[in-house]
Amino acid sequence: MAAMTAYKYQAQALMRDYLLADPLVPYTSVLIGIVLCKMAYDFTRILSSFYFKGYTLLTKIQRIEWNNSAHAIFITAVSLYLVMSTDLFSDRVKGPITFRYSIISTSALGVSVGYFITDLAMIFWLYPSLGGMEYVLHHTVSLVAIAYTMLSGEGQFYTYMVLISETTTPEINLRWFLDTAGLKKSSAYLVNGILMFVAWLVARIFLFMYVFYHIYLHYGQIMQMHAFGYYLTFVVPSVLFVMNTMWFMKILKGVMKTLAKWP
């Protein structure tokens, strides 16, 4: 009991000291994320105007959707690297996994926060053209959770595990690209649909089940976190898992419908 209380105070001190000690790391990375989001959008727009003849015929809303893939590729690569290729969150390292962080992990989360701020602003600005309330809920929950773990250093492992699910975004965007380009009946559309189904099943269903199992195994360490971080660890994955399951059922119906019509 005394050890748990000590870890709780340690977590509170960590958040206070980290914010006061080096505020440039999280806040600068957020600004960089916003700038990079705009640069990636402009870069994709320039490339698309050269290599896709139909790009100039798209509406403003369609162009915004067309240019939005860079963050998913970036954060998926960083998440896989930190979780699978480094010892930051390895069981071989002593100490609670819930309090581990590094400059790289914090900076990458800051870039992600910048993206979610930019994307959420676009959703509100063009609402509901870019998505309804489910997208607002998804982005808001994600933004709060990522911002907290970036600033406090708590629970970054679980944040990155959830962010691996962004691996499904390129497939979703490619599906939309092919549909917009009039290639809905192409083989590429069918193959991408199957890949999207498999990626969603692995990264947004099975992976979340593993996260819940990992939380169960490390519940003692999670209890040492600040109360806000403690509740985020349970609430955020649960909310996202429910939404992922609902979307997965729609994807499953879409794949079955496409396969049934395929010659």
Side-chain angles (χ1 to χ4, degrees):
M1 192 65 169
M4 293 175 56
T5 304
Y7 275 125
K8 175 179 281 190
Y9 285 122
Q10 178 185 351
Q12 294 172 348
L14 174 64
M15 180 164 56
R16 181 184 66 252
D17 294 340
Y18 184 74
L19 285 171
L20 295 177
D22 195 5
L24 292 181
V25 173
Y27 301 134
T28 303
S29 59
V30 171
L31 293 177
I32 291 175
I34 295 174
V35 173
L36 289 178
C37 188
K38 180 64 168 61
M39 290 176 61
Y41 174 87
D42 292 338
F43 181 70
T44 307
R45 175 175 54 82
I46 293 172
L47 285 181
S48 298
S49 62
F50 275 104
Y51 294 103
F52 177 60
K53 296 180 180 180
Y55 181 79
T56 56
L57 302 177
L58 299 177
T59 65
K60 181 179 180 180
I61 302 299
Q62 289 176 326
R63 291 182 186 183
I64 291 174
E65 296 233 16
W66 184 280
N67 299 332
N68 190 17
S69 293
H71 169 263
I73 298 173
F74 165 78
I75 200 61
T76 299
V78 173
S79 299
L80 290 173
Y81 168 73
L82 291 174
V83 172
M84 302 181 65
S85 300
T86 71
D87 290 331
L88 180 61
F89 303 118
S90 173
D91 289 333
R92 295 189 299 269
V93 178
K94 294 182 179 180
I97 197 173
T98 48
F99 297 128
R100 298 181 197 170
Y101 67 93
S102 68
I103 293 178
I104 294 177
S105 65
T106 300
S107 299
L109 290 176
V111 173
S112 190
V113 168
Y115 159 77
F116 276 107
I117 291 175
T118 304
D119 211 41
L120 191 59
M122 294 291 289
I123 291 175
F124 279 121
W125 181 37
L126 299 171
Y127 188 85
S129 300
L130 293 179
M133 285 306 301
E134 68 274 14
Y135 284 90
V136 174
L137 176 62
H138 174 272
H139 278 55
T140 301
V141 170
S142 299
L143 178 59
V144 171
I146 296 172
Y148 175 81
T149 192
M150 173 194 67
L151 293 172
S152 68
E154 288 187 352
Q156 289 196 4
F157 170 76
Y158 295 113
T159 301
Y160 276 112
M161 288 295 290
V162 171
L163 285 172
I164 291 176
S165 64
E166 285 296 313
T167 190
T168 60
T169 300
E171 290 86 0
I172 295 172
N173 289 345
L174 181 57
R175 181 178 183 273
W176 185 88
F177 294 164
L178 293 171
D179 189 7
T180 303
L183 299 173
K184 194 171 183 178
K185 295 183 179 181
S186 65
S187 298
Y189 187 85
L190 176 62
V191 172
N192 180 73
I194 296 174
L195 289 176
M196 183 177 67
F197 170 81
V198 174
W200 196 284
L201 180 63
V202 174
R204 291 186 180 262
I205 303 298
F206 292 158
L207 180 62
F208 273 69
M209 291 180 179
Y210 172 76
V211 169
F212 294 137
Y213 177 66
H214 193 280
I215 289 173
Y216 168 75
L217 293 179
H218 296 78
Y219 181 72
Q221 296 181 16
I222 295 172
M223 288 183 63
Q224 300 164 17
M225 297 169 62
H226 186 272
F228 189 66
Y230 171 86
Y231 289 114
L232 281 179
T233 303
F234 291 95
V235 172
V236 174
S238 299
V239 172
L240 294 180
F241 181 71
V242 171
M243 298 178 70
N244 289 340
T245 303
M246 294 172 60
W247 285 327
F248 177 73
M249 297 307 298
K250 293 181 179 180
I251 293 173
L252 178 59
K253 290 180 180 179
V255 170
M256 294 177 64
K257 184 177 180 181
T258 301
L259 290 174
K261 294 182 178 179
W262 200 258

